[in-house]
Amino acid sequence: MTVAAGIGYALLALGPSLSLFVSVISKKPFLILTVLSSTLLWLTSLIVLSALWRGFLPLKSTSWWPYGLLIFTSVAFQEGLRVFVWKGYMRLEDILNTFADKVSKPRLYLTDKMQIALAGGLGHGVAHAVFFCLSLLTPAFGPATFFVDRCSQIPFFLVSAIIALAFVTIHTFSMVIAFSGYAEGNKVDQFFVPVVHLVAGMVTLINFASGGCVIGIPLLYFIAILTLIHCGRMVWRRLIGNGRTQGNL
Amino acid sequence: LILLNFGTSGQLDSMESVPDLQKAMYKFIDGYPCVRLLNLSGVIGCSNPGREMVVAPIVSYRSDKELSQSSAVLVSLDEIESFFTKIRNDSSFARNIAGVIVESGIEIQKNLKGFSPTQKFPQAEFAPYQTTNYEWNPIGSGIMWNEYNFPVFLLSESGTVTLLEAATKNEKSNKAYIADVAEFDLVMQTTKAGTHDSESCLKEGTCLPLGGYRTRTLIDSGDCVGSVWSSLPPINVSSTDQSRPVLLTVASMDSASFFRDKSLGADSPFSGLIALLAAIDALSFIDGLDDLKKQLVFIVFTGEAWGYLGSRRFLFELDLQSDAVGGLNNSLIEMVLEIGSVGKGFNQGVNKFYAHEAGVSSATNETLDALKYAQESLDSEHIIISPANASNPGIPPSSLMAFLRKNSITSGLVLEDFDSVFSNNFYHSHLDNISNINSSAVVAAASLVARTLYILASGDTNISSSTLTAINVNVSLVEELMDCLLGCDPGLSCELVKNYITPSTTCPSYYVGVMLDEPSSTPYLGAVADISRFLWNFLADRTSIPSKNGSSACSQGCSKNEVCIRAEADGKGVCAISTTRYVPAYSTRLKFESGIWTVLPPNSSDPMGMSDPVWTESNWNAIGLRVYTVQDPGYDRLVLLGGISVTVLAYVAIVITRAFITKALKRD
């Protein structure tokens, strides 16, 4: 498939992350640090999951439920980890605010908190893309392409990149929704994220069916767009609503 | 990566790592190549046209269909001759041939009547008679003697299945932007260097001469193959009474084919070799061989298929009285009996063989009489030996030709299973395998030869039948030799071979190979080919008499007339008295000097050398064939464009959103 195609697939999966990084994250060193540590943390979580499941793999099963179980446990683990991340973030916020008070600088604004959440989510998304897409991409730089029997219309690497892009979107914006939900105590937002993560994971099981990727991938993008819209609405509500409240004050 | 199937359209025959994915994408195909060979006037064989790999979509050959683009053509074995004829005659068809892949299959083999890619009179230029247009091998198409500027591979059975699938996929596929392609790596150094004949390529060091030294296989095990000779009983070299006349019995151990690594030669010449080995085995049990009037000497040549290299070099060394042939006096050779192809002699319950005489002399008449006498003693075995048709122009292609060209009054006889025309329909092809011969014919020939040799050596015209009936060929030995030397199961890892040597391969192939090192009569044994080492040990074992000090281990070294037998098998080996030696086999027109091979000018004292094409094989780095799916370059560019546009669009969207939020915040 050559170098051109290899770069193309890499950009498909991680291009938007790169754009986000360049336009938003790179302006603030703290956010860069957040992205890096978040990527590291979530990569570690994926490695731990691999280690835990190593003994049971490969799952030589024709039915979908062992894979369903695999996805369920992995999602549960990651969502549990997210709560810990939130707790860690709370402590970090306190430290930062205390420091700001000490040097007579303003405390974290809502936009700052959202940007930190965004950086955290971006780290999660990049970890997913690296683990599930980039690591397989090396053969794509050679002359051959590859088609999987159950999805014979689209090259394997293209499928991998598209799915990775969807998950990057979901993870990036999920973190913003989750942090907002924990901060406000909004149950809807708090449950939205794990449910969306689980549903997205399960939707990929549709790809096991022959020709399933034709249905599975659009469904996955539907979920990604849903996440994006929900995040947008939440941000709008909090920022603009917040502004109005502040303005009224 | 363990969760590779997670979130992808995973296959249940799952890959567990990126190397697995790579293996699934690029399928290496088991195949046998046709390589580039050179002679003094030009080249033959196959090569990639340049320094690069050849990549082309796979297409099945159909005689009525034209090729629309440069393709890798998949040809069935029964169409191969018409295919190559079409290439010669139709240049527009030939232009679109990027590479050729030949199918393999037991079914095809069963239905094929014959296939011989060599000439109709193989090695006619060496014949000791003028009728060089006589067709010993009428089926011969001569395709292996042409030059092809594209790679040609023969597939294994598994490879055939893969490629047929790929060809069908290409045909059925309605997507124009993907195709299954074959990538050929058959880059030959002589093509890269532009040296197109033996002399220039030897000078530039881009090729090596054919001969009994190193066979480069694709899994380079670096084997040397040399001729082996042995005498029964051992010649007492120190004794001055060396005047017993010698009966030389000859066979050969190399074959040729269009595909370098698939030269089995079951009928031609291995059936003769196996018959010889069985005859020697039968004779080794007879007492009193020392008291016979004549000395029996056996020799197995290699390189015979490529200009009678073994026999010519042997005669050359004999003239020089070199170490390799120490103990043998040229003038004492009374008679040369060659055992040619004997494996197809069995027909409707009768084993029929033909004796091709080289001229008429008292020695050949004596041999014919001995053969008849032996035949009578083997009455129950339904063996018939007849002299060859008098209208034949002379002896068939055989090592005896080298003896006759050297000395036209040599008395000699070639034993074959055919009269005027080869009965082997797969002469010098990759299909001359074990299914092409019959063990009972080999056993019959071995019995005939064993008893004939005894009769001749005793010089007695009236031997008692009881003496002769004691000479019996071991039928199970013949069958074991056939299974070991002509098949892959058990192949060279069989008990018989492992008893003498530690084989490096299981599946045998008897292409003569190239000479890498300096020729010597005492080669470094680690570099000698399995077949030569096996023959040497087998012959040494059968012709030996126990050492004077009892059977001592070789660890303390063996004394002067002794050799170390089974050195590899038990790890120690046993010393025994035997005259068994290796003889290098390479062209008499070549000389190895300070690390370079040079071609000597033709010499009238070496008439065969004057017609010797001096075959060399081009050097090569790696040879292989792989198959993978390729997509149109336009598609690749589209993907790159897609990736870039997604990135840019995302950037634009983020910038707009940020501006929007900032403005909205400011507004409030």
Side-chain angles (χ1 to χ4, degrees):
Chain A
M1 261 176 329
T2 72
V3 176
I7 295 175
Y9 293 125
L11 280 178
L12 262 179
L14 283 172
S17 317
L18 184 66
S19 303
L20 189 60
F21 187 88
V22 163
S23 56
V24 177
I25 311 286
S26 62
K27 309 260 191 301
K28 301 188 178 168
F30 186 75
L31 290 180
I32 301 177
L33 285 172
T34 311
V35 172
L36 290 174
S37 15
S38 175
T39 311
L40 183 63
L41 175 72
W42 292 104
L43 263 175
T44 313
S45 80
L46 287 169
I47 292 169
V48 165
L49 279 169
S50 316
L52 287 173
W53 271 94
R54 188 75 187 94
F56 302 93
L57 294 167
L59 290 171
K60 288 195 195 335
S61 169
T62 44
S63 61
W64 61 270
W65 69 262
Y67 296 98
L69 188 64
L70 171 65
I71 293 175
F72 184 81
T73 52
S74 308
V75 170
F77 181 81
Q78 288 206 320
E79 292 306 322
L81 188 60
R82 202 192 292 274
V83 179
F84 277 107
V85 169
W86 163 252
K87 296 219 157 72
Y89 166 72
M90 287 300 291
R91 216 173 283 171
L92 180 69
E93 210 187 274
D94 284 336
I95 295 172
L96 286 174
N97 282 338
T98 317
F99 182 71
D101 288 340
K102 224 185 263 185
V103 296
S104 320
K105 284 268 162 62
R107 287 186 151 204
L108 288 171
Y109 288 118
L110 184 58
T111 46
D112 294 326
K113 292 183 197 175
M114 284 189 174
Q115 281 178 340
I116 295 176
L118 188 69
L122 184 63
H124 189 179
V126 168
H128 183 110
V130 163
F131 195 83
F132 290 102
C133 175
L134 276 194
S135 53
L136 314 176
L137 218 50
T138 339
F141 287 88
T145 184
F146 189 59
F147 285 81
V148 175
D149 291 336
R150 290 164 202 234
C151 192
S152 51
Q153 297 89 340
I154 319 170
F156 170 72
F157 298 102
L158 187 59
V159 172
S160 173
I162 293 175
I163 292 178
L165 176 59
F167 271 100
V168 163
T169 314
I170 293 174
H171 287 319
T172 309
F173 296 103
S174 286
M175 195 65 92
V176 180
I177 298 172
F179 274 24
S180 166
Y182 293 132
E184 286 187 315
N186 185 338
K187 290 286 181 216
V188 171
D189 284 347
Q190 279 179 23
F191 279 108
F192 181 85
V193 167
V195 165
V196 155
H197 191 177
L198 187 63
V199 169
M202 293 302 187
V203 158
T204 60
L205 288 175
I206 297 178
N207 295 333
F208 270 130
S210 180
C213 54
V214 182
I215 305 167
I217 294 176
L219 265 181
L220 197 59
Y221 270 85
F222 173 73
I223 296 172
I225 292 171
L226 192 69
T227 312
L228 202 55
I229 293 175
H230 187 94
C231 182
R233 279 175 35 194
M234 184 273 299
V235 164
W236 185 256
R237 176 176 53 81
R238 288 198 78 194
L239 281 181
I240 310 306
N242 198 17
R244 287 216 182 89
T245 320
Q246 281 185 336
N248 286 342
L249 283 171
Chain B
L1 286 175
I2 289 153
L3 302 174
L4 185 58
N5 295 319
F6 184 91
T8 70
S9 14
Q11 289 173 244
L12 274 175
D13 45 337
S14 60
M15 295 162 269
E16 288 183 37
S17 61
V18 175
D20 283 351
L21 175 62
Q22 195 117 13
K23 244 183 272 179
M25 282 171 73
Y26 300 93
K27 295 185 210 111
F28 276 96
I29 308 287
D30 250 340
Y32 307 95
C34 143
V35 296
R36 172 66 85 225
L37 292 159
L38 305 95
N39 59 28
L40 286 175
S41 48
V43 306
I44 67 166
C46 323
S47 157
N48 273 14
R51 297 159 186 263
E52 305 298 322
M53 312 265 214
V54 167
V55 180
I58 302 167
V59 164
S60 272
Y61 171 63
R62 259 193 275 279
S63 45
D64 50 350
K65 221 169 63 160
E66 285 304 312
L67 293 173
S68 50
Q69 50 169 332
S70 182
S71 325
V73 186
L74 185 60
V75 187
S76 169
L77 201 57
D78 46 3
E79 298 196 280
I80 197 172
E81 274 167 19
S82 60
F83 176 75
F84 278 107
T85 319
K86 190 168 181 186
I87 292 181
R88 293 208 88 184
N89 300 336
D90 187 349
S91 59
S92 57
F93 179 74
R95 244 199 309 263
N96 278 328
I97 307 244
V100 177
I101 312 171
V102 181
E103 291 174 34
S104 211
I106 303 183
E107 282 312 311
I108 309 173
Q109 215 173 312
K110 279 196 200 139
N111 296 333
L112 200 56
K113 292 219 177 58
F115 171 65
S116 176
T118 189
Q119 305 123 325
K120 294 197 195 304
F121 185 158
Q123 307 201 83
E125 60 268 27
F126 294 104
Y129 45 81
Q130 308 293 1
T131 333
T132 51
N133 56 358
Y134 183 76
E135 293 183 358
W136 286 105
N137 182 27
I139 296 186
S141 56
I143 55 175
M144 72 184 264
W145 298 89
N146 297 329
E147 175 187 355
Y148 302 105
N149 281 318
F150 47 77
V152 181
F153 275 81
L154 171 72
L155 298 171
S156 60
E157 300 251 350
S158 56
T160 307
V161 171
T162 314
L163 283 214
L164 279 172
E165 272 170 18
T168 331
K169 207 166 103 177
N170 277 348
E171 243 177 72
K172 291 217 179 99
S173 165
N174 40 17
K175 291 181 236 176
Y177 58 88
I178 56 166
D180 271 14
V181 297
E183 182 192 80
F184 299 89
D185 187 356
L186 196 69
V187 178
M188 295 282 139
Q189 204 176 354
T190 52
T191 314
K192 285 200 285 191
T195 48
H196 299 299
D197 63 79
S198 287
E199 234 176 315
S200 58
C201 76
L202 280 172
K203 213 188 298 180
E204 298 286 321
T206 54
C207 65
L208 283 170
L210 292 195
Y213 265 75
R214 264 170 117 93
T215 303
R216 266 179 319 202
T217 55
L218 294 186
I219 20 163
D220 190 357
S221 51
D223 300 337
C224 309
V225 184
S227 306
V228 181
W229 73 273
S230 182
S231 77
L232 177 71
I235 297 176
N236 195 346
V237 189
S238 56
S239 149
T240 44
D241 180 22
Q242 286 289 301
S243 54
R244 274 207 291 181
V246 169
L247 290 174
L248 194 59
T249 315
V250 162
S252 52
M253 61 162 130
D254 80 305
S255 180
S257 105
F258 195 89
F259 305 103
R260 182 189 188 275
D261 291 309
K262 219 172 184 209
S263 316
L264 262 187
D267 187 31
S268 316
F270 260 82
S271 57
L273 172 58
I274 294 175
L276 177 64
L277 296 178
I280 296 172
D281 175 70
L283 286 170
S284 66
F285 292 107
I286 305 300
D287 291 323
L289 289 170
D290 247 338
D291 305 325
L292 293 177
K293 294 216 176 63
K294 300 179 193 165
Q295 173 77 46
L296 292 172
V297 174
F298 311 104
I299 180 160
V300 183
F301 292 125
T302 189
E304 298 303 276
W306 294 99
Y308 299 115
L309 301 174
S311 43
R312 283 166 50 212
R313 175 58 52 176
F314 172 74
L315 290 168
F316 187 77
E317 303 266 331
L318 209 54
D319 273 349
L320 294 176
Q321 274 298 298
S322 68
D323 287 334
V325 297
L328 266 186
N329 192 335
N330 203 351
S331 56
L332 290 175
I333 297 179
E334 186 182 277
M335 170 74 192
V336 179
L337 172 65
E338 180 169 348
I339 314 181
S341 327
V342 295
K344 295 186 86 74
F346 185 74
N347 220 331
Q348 289 166 332
V350 177
N351 291 300
K352 214 165 187 309
F353 302 108
Y354 297 90
H356 297 253
E357 293 169 87
V360 180
S361 66
S362 58
T364 52
N365 282 339
E366 203 185 320
T367 314
L368 276 174
D369 290 338
L371 279 165
K372 278 267 153 58
Y373 198 64
Q375 175 200 290
E376 278 157 29
S377 75
L378 288 163
D379 196 41
S380 56
E381 315 260 335
H382 309 290
I383 300 177
I384 302 179
I385 175 89
S386 335
N389 197 329
S391 57
N392 286 353
I395 54 170
S398 51
S399 309
L400 191 57
M401 287 186 164
F403 285 85
L404 285 171
R405 286 293 290 269
K406 183 114 182 118
N407 178 0
S408 52
I409 54 169
T410 310
S411 300
L413 198 147
V414 188
L415 191 67
E416 304 271 19
D417 54 18
F418 60 85
D419 191 4
S420 306
V421 149
F422 287 172
S423 54
N424 184 0
N425 290 331
F426 296 104
Y427 184 78
H428 280 185
S429 82
H430 61 282
L431 297 170
D432 189 4
N433 53 31
I434 198 173
S435 55
N436 200 25
I437 60 174
N438 194 316
S439 62
S440 53
V442 179
V443 169
S447 312
L448 202 58
V449 166
R451 293 190 182 189
T452 305
L453 284 176
Y454 187 81
I455 296 166
L456 285 173
S458 66
D460 188 352
T461 42
N462 265 326
I463 301 185
S464 67
S465 57
S466 58
T467 331
L468 279 185
T469 44
I471 305 174
N472 283 312
V473 163
N474 184 344
V475 178
S476 56
L477 173 68
V478 170
E479 285 171 1
E480 220 185 326
L481 280 169
M482 279 171 63
D483 285 334
C484 293
L485 302 180
L486 298 174
C488 281
D489 180 27
L492 290 172
S493 344
C494 66
E495 281 306 313
L496 176 62
V497 172
K498 283 220 296 287
N499 197 7
Y500 292 107
I501 62 161
T502 319
S504 54
T505 53
T506 301
C507 284
S509 177
Y510 301 116
Y511 169 61
V512 65
V514 294
M515 304 228 23
L516 254 189
D517 298 327
E518 187 163 0
S520 149
S521 64
T522 46
Y524 164 55
L525 287 177
V528 179
D530 294 340
I531 180 68
S532 286
R533 283 178 5 256
F534 168 69
L535 282 177
W536 189 95
N537 276 283
F538 184 91
L539 289 176
D541 183 40
R542 291 301 194 268
T543 62
S544 63
I545 43 185
S547 163
K548 288 190 181 58
N549 320 330
S551 36
S552 55
C554 305
S555 44
Q556 289 125 353
C558 297
S559 27
K560 195 169 173 254
N561 286 343
E562 295 179 357
V563 295
C564 185
I565 306 177
R566 289 197 180 85
E568 295 168 50
D570 329 20
K572 16 191 179 78
V574 162
C575 288
I577 303 175
S578 176
T579 314
T580 309
R581 311 251 169 77
Y582 290 104
V583 183
Y586 61 100
S587 175
T588 50
R589 287 282 299 276
L590 287 173
K591 190 169 163 175
F592 189 77
E593 223 168 10
S594 30
I596 314 176
W597 286 98
T598 40
V599 179
L600 299 168
N603 188 342
S604 53
S605 66
D606 178 14
M608 271 192 130
M610 286 173 72
S611 4
D612 187 0
V614 188
W615 290 108
T616 55
E617 182 185 301
S618 171
N619 291 344
W620 37 266
N621 205 353
I623 292 184
L625 175 65
R626 36 175 215 179
V627 169
Y628 48 82
T629 315
V630 148
Q631 61 193 27
D632 200 65
Y635 197 88
D636 293 341
R637 276 177 246 134
L638 198 66
V639 167
L640 180 61
L641 197 64
I644 294 174
S645 28
V646 161
T647 310
V648 166
L649 282 171
Y651 186 81
V652 166
I654 293 165
V655 164
I656 292 175
T657 313
R658 199 178 46 183
F660 190 66
I661 292 179
T662 321
K663 211 164 90 171
L665 279 176
K666 280 217 178 84
R667 213 179 344 121
D668 290 325

